[in-house]
Amino acid sequence: MDQLKPSPANSCPLTPLTFLERAAIAYGEIPSIIYNDTTYTWSQTHRRCQQLASSIQSLGIGRGHVVSVVAPNTPAMYELHFAIPMTGAILNTINTRLDARMISVLLQHSESKLVFVDKQFQSNVIQAIKRFPLESQSPTLVLITDNEVSISSNPSSSTTVSFTKNYEDLVEKGDPEFKWIRPESEQDPMTLNYTSGTTSSPKGVVHSHRSIFIITINSLIDWPVPKHPVYLWTLPMFHSNGWSFSWGMAAVGGTNICLRKFDVPLVYHAICAHSVTHMCGAPVLLNMLSKSNSPTHRLKTPVHFLTGGAPPPAAVLLRVESLGFVVSHGYGLTEAAGVVVSCAWKPGWDRLNAEERARLKSRQGVRTIGVTELDVVDTESGKSVSRDGVTVGEVVLRGGSVMLGYLKDPAGTSESVKSNGWLYTGDVGVVYPDGYLEIRDRLKDVIVSGGENVCSMEVERVLYGNEAVEEAAVVERPDEFWGETVCAFISLKGGVGAGVEEGDVVGFCRERLPHYMVPKTVVFMDELPKTSTGKIQKFALREIAKSLGSLPPSRGT
C-alpha cells in the first residue's frame, strides 16, 4: 500500500466548471435561466458558454489574464461565471455600487485585460477608464444591453461606445465545439474578488479552482439544497460570486431566476410566478420582505432563505417566518469563498418558544463540512478561549476553501494567513458550552471605553429589542475622559417610533446593559447608509461620529 502513488486518473484537477458539462447531459431540457421573457435550458446554457468562451479567447484572452464584469444579476452575468474561467482567465466581478474612482483603482490593480459592462453602468466604467494614466494600456470594453453587446478597444479616447455587435452575435459566432481550457493544477487561480469596504489600497482575494469547487459542494450540502431547486437571485452575483451558488445551481440542475434589482413587489411576484424554493441575501432584505402587509405576499409554499452577517433581529425573524420563509443563518467571508459556519438546527429546538428559537438561530453555529478546523483564540497567544459563551477571541479557521492570498500583497496575506496555518478572520466571537459559535464583532469595531471592551453587536442586539427601532448601528465616538464611548445611530419605525428621543433610547439600554456599554450619544437618521450587499456602512457612521467631536468630561462621566 505504501508504494501506491497518485495516478493520472485520480489526479485530474478539481474545478466547478465540470458541473456545467454534466448539467448539459443530466439536466439538458430543464430550464437553467429565466429572465423576463427569456428562458434557456441547461443544454443551451452549456452551448452558449462554450461559444462565449471561444469569442473571449478570440479577443486575445488566455490563461492567467483577469477579465472583469460590472453587471447586475442578468443571464450574461451568470454565463460569464463559466465562460471566463473556461478560457483559463480569472473571473473578477466588481461591485456595481462603486464609483468611477474606485472602479478605476480596481481595474488598474487587477490589470484587467477585458471588461464586460452592463449598459446601466456604461458611463461609470468609461469614466473609470479615463482615469488611467496616459502611459497605461486600457482594457477592451464589452458593453452588455440584455441581448446586445458592442466592442470598443480604445474607450479612453471617447465618452461613447458605439454598438457594432449584439450579444447573440458574440455568442453565436463562437465555436460550439470549443475545448475549454482546463486548469493545469487545481490550485490555479480562478476568481478575484475585492473585499467590501475597499479603500485606495484594495484587497483582492484570489481563489483557486479547488477552493471554489470545495465551497460550492460545501454550500449545497450544508444548506441543504435538493436537486432542481428554483433559485431567485436576490444576492448580487458580484458578492463572493453569489456565495458560490452561481456554480452550485449547475451541480443540482436548478433554475436561476434573474432580477436586475431587489424590489419587494417584484420579488414576491417572481416567487409566485416561478414557485421559487430558495434565495439568499443580507438580513436587511429580510427586513424589507417582512414589512409587506399585502395578503398576496403570504407564501403558498415555503421559501428557504439563507442569510449571513449580523443576525436578523428576533422580531424580523418572527415576521418573515410567519409569511412562509424558512430562514437559515450562517457566517462567511470573502477569504473563505462563502459560508463556512452555519447554525445547524437541532430537532429538539423546534419545541422551544419563538423568542428562544430566534436567539439560537442568531448564533452563527458550527463549521460546515468543507472547513477542516474552526476555533476562537486569543489573538496574541493563539490559545483557545474558554467555551463559556462569554470569553471573546478572534475567529480562526483552516480548510480547502481558504484563499490563495491577496493579489500583490504578500504582507497582507502573511498577516491574515499566519505561519501556523490558520486564517485569522478579524472577527471577534465566543463559543458556548455546546460548541456553537457566536460572532460578537469585528476586531476593528470593538469600542474601548475606559479600558473595557464593548462589542458593538451586543449593544445593537439590545437596541433592536426596542419596538420603536427600525435599524441600529453602534460605533465609537471620541471622549476626553473615557477615550471612546458608544455612539448609536438609529432609524425609527413609523408610528411606534413617533416622539422617541435620545433619553428614551438611553434609558432603555440602561435597563439591559452594563453602564459602560450604554450609548452616550444617539443620532437619529431616516435611513442608515448601506453597502450594495445590505451591510450598514460603519465607516461612514464613524466619520459622522468623529465629526461630532470629543465628548467633554462633564458628559463623559
Side-chain angles (χ1 to χ4, degrees):
M1 296 291 286
D2 293 339
Q3 296 176 351
L4 294 177
K5 297 180 180 180
S7 70
N10 69 14
S11 58
C12 183
L14 296 173
T15 173
L17 300 180
T18 57
F19 300 159
L20 183 58
E21 284 186 322
R22 179 178 178 275
I25 300 171
Y27 315 124
E29 301 309 311
I30 292 176
S32 56
I33 299 174
I34 298 177
Y35 176 63
N36 296 333
D37 296 328
T38 299
T39 299
Y40 297 122
T41 64
W42 277 112
S43 60
Q44 290 174 320
T45 294
H46 176 241
R47 187 188 71 247
R48 287 170 62 84
C49 288
Q50 282 186 296
Q51 294 176 249
L52 184 56
S54 172
S55 294
I56 292 172
Q57 188 184 66
S58 72
L59 297 175
I61 300 301
R63 194 183 298 277
H65 290 153
V66 173
V67 177
S68 303
V69 187
V70 184
N73 292 344
T74 59
M77 178 61 142
Y78 187 84
E79 292 169 347
L80 289 166
H81 271 73
F82 289 94
I84 289 172
M86 286 170 77
T87 68
I90 301 165
L91 169 67
N92 168 226
T93 53
I94 294 179
N95 188 329
T96 58
R97 293 276 184 92
L98 297 179
D99 60 18
R101 179 192 64 82
M102 198 64 245
I103 292 176
S104 182
V105 169
L106 300 190
L107 292 178
Q108 292 179 65
H109 184 263
S110 66
E111 300 181 43
S112 184
K113 301 293 184 183
L114 175 66
V115 186
F116 284 85
V117 187
D118 186 90
K119 186 175 177 64
Q120 181 180 347
F121 309 105
Q122 174 185 1
S123 175
N124 210 21
V125 173
I126 290 176
Q127 292 305 315
I129 302 296
K130 282 178 163 290
R131 290 174 171 267
F132 276 42
L134 293 176
E135 67 276 8
S136 65
Q137 185 174 358
S138 299
T140 297
L141 283 188
V142 177
L143 184 67
I144 307 166
T145 58
D146 286 346
N147 290 320
E148 291 187 338
V149 90
S150 67
I151 300 174
S152 170
S153 58
N154 188 23
S156 59
S157 63
S158 173
T159 57
T160 61
V161 179
S162 59
F163 282 76
T164 58
K165 297 181 180 181
N166 62 56
Y167 189 69
E168 291 304 320
D169 284 345
L170 193 65
V171 173
E172 291 302 325
K173 289 184 178 180
D175 180 5
E177 303 300 322
F178 176 72
K179 301 299 182 183
W180 59 276
I181 311 301
R182 295 177 182 269
E184 294 177 346
S185 163
E186 60 188 34
Q187 296 290 6
D188 286 353
M190 178 178 167
T191 64
L192 168 65
N193 295 96
Y194 286 93
T195 58
S196 58
T198 301
T199 65
S200 57
S201 299
K203 295 177 72 174
V205 176
V206 181
H207 276 285
S208 67
H209 284 258
R210 178 176 186 265
S211 64
I212 298 301
F213 181 96
I214 290 173
I215 195 65
T216 301
I217 298 297
N218 173 84
S219 301
L220 293 172
I221 293 174
D222 187 76
W223 193 353
V225 181
K227 286 187 177 181
H228 312 309
V230 180
Y231 185 89
L232 179 61
W233 277 102
T234 48
L235 173 74
M237 288 190 214
F238 65 70
H239 185 53
S240 287
N241 302 111
W243 298 351
S244 82
F245 290 110
S246 46
W247 301 288
M249 287 303 109
V252 293
T255 300
N256 297 276
I257 311 299
C258 291
L259 294 178
R260 291 187 69 90
K261 65 177 182 177
F262 185 91
D263 176 79
V264 172
L266 189 61
V267 166
Y268 276 111
H269 172 77
I271 290 173
C272 180
H274 303 292
S275 300
V276 168
T277 61
H278 291 74
M279 54 197 292
C280 294
V284 66
L285 301 187
L286 285 172
N287 193 20
M288 295 168 68
L289 291 169
S290 73
K291 294 178 182 177
S292 173
N293 294 318
S294 172
T296 62
H297 291 173
R298 292 193 177 274
L299 307 181
K300 295 180 181 178
T301 57
V303 174
H304 296 270
F305 194 109
L306 178 61
T307 190
V316 173
L317 272 176
L318 294 174
R319 288 202 301 270
V320 293
E321 290 187 341
S322 70
L323 291 171
F325 291 95
V326 180
V327 181
S328 298
H329 183 226
Y331 160 79
L333 62 164
T334 308
E335 288 83 347
V339 177
V340 289
V341 180
S342 68
C343 187
W345 196 253
K346 298 183 178 182
W349 292 350
D350 288 329
R351 296 190 294 270
L352 301 174
N353 63 51
E355 289 294 330
E356 183 64 11
R357 291 200 309 272
R359 185 190 69 79
L360 289 169
K361 189 167 285 191
S362 70
R363 301 191 302 178
Q364 281 68 25
V366 297
R367 64 179 175 86
T368 55
I369 61 168
V371 177
T372 305
E373 290 186 87
L374 173 76
D375 203 357
V376 176
V377 302
D378 178 87
T379 303
E380 297 300 321
S381 68
K383 294 182 179 180
S384 301
V385 301
S386 299
R387 270 50 180 161
D388 54 12
V390 176
T391 308
V392 298
E394 185 171 358
V395 180
V396 298
L397 60 90
R398 54 184 171 188
S401 69
V402 171
M403 66 176 179
L404 292 172
Y406 296 119
L407 180 65
K408 301 177 183 177
D409 188 4
T413 300
S414 297
E415 183 179 348
S416 183
V417 183
K418 306 290 187 183
S419 58
N420 62 7
W422 291 86
L423 170 67
Y424 280 65
T425 66
D427 288 308
V428 175
V430 299
V431 182
Y432 287 89
D434 64 359
Y436 276 58
L437 164 75
E438 182 177 353
I439 303 294
R440 289 291 173 87
D441 224 332
R442 290 288 293 170
L443 273 176
K444 63 183 179 181
D445 290 341
V446 173
I447 301 167
V448 183
S449 184
E452 297 282 358
N453 289 340
V454 179
C455 290
S456 62
M457 288 177 64
E458 287 191 65
V459 183
E460 290 163 0
R461 188 176 293 113
V462 168
L463 289 169
Y464 272 114
N466 189 320
E467 64 175 9
V469 172
E470 179 72 27
E471 297 175 320
V474 166
V475 299
E476 71 281 3
R477 179 181 176 181
D479 187 283
E480 292 181 17
F481 186 84
W482 299 109
E484 295 176 344
T485 53
V486 178
C487 179
F489 289 84
I490 290 173
S491 67
L492 297 171
K493 295 177 182 176
V496 294
V500 173
E501 298 180 349
E502 180 177 13
D504 301 320
V505 175
V506 171
F508 181 85
C509 291
R510 278 181 177 159
E511 294 176 1
R512 295 163 175 83
L513 287 169
H515 184 74
Y516 68 91
M517 297 179 68
V518 174
K520 289 193 166 47
T521 308
V522 179
V523 179
F524 295 101
M525 304 178 75
D526 292 335
E527 183 178 359
L528 273 56
K530 301 180 186 67
T531 68
S532 57
T533 57
K535 294 180 181 178
I536 293 174
Q537 294 178 319
K538 285 199 172 183
F539 69 89
L541 298 181
R542 284 193 183 91
E543 289 300 315
I544 297 174
K546 187 177 179 180
S547 71
L548 296 175
S550 175
L551 280 170
S554 59
R555 283 290 307 273
T557 56

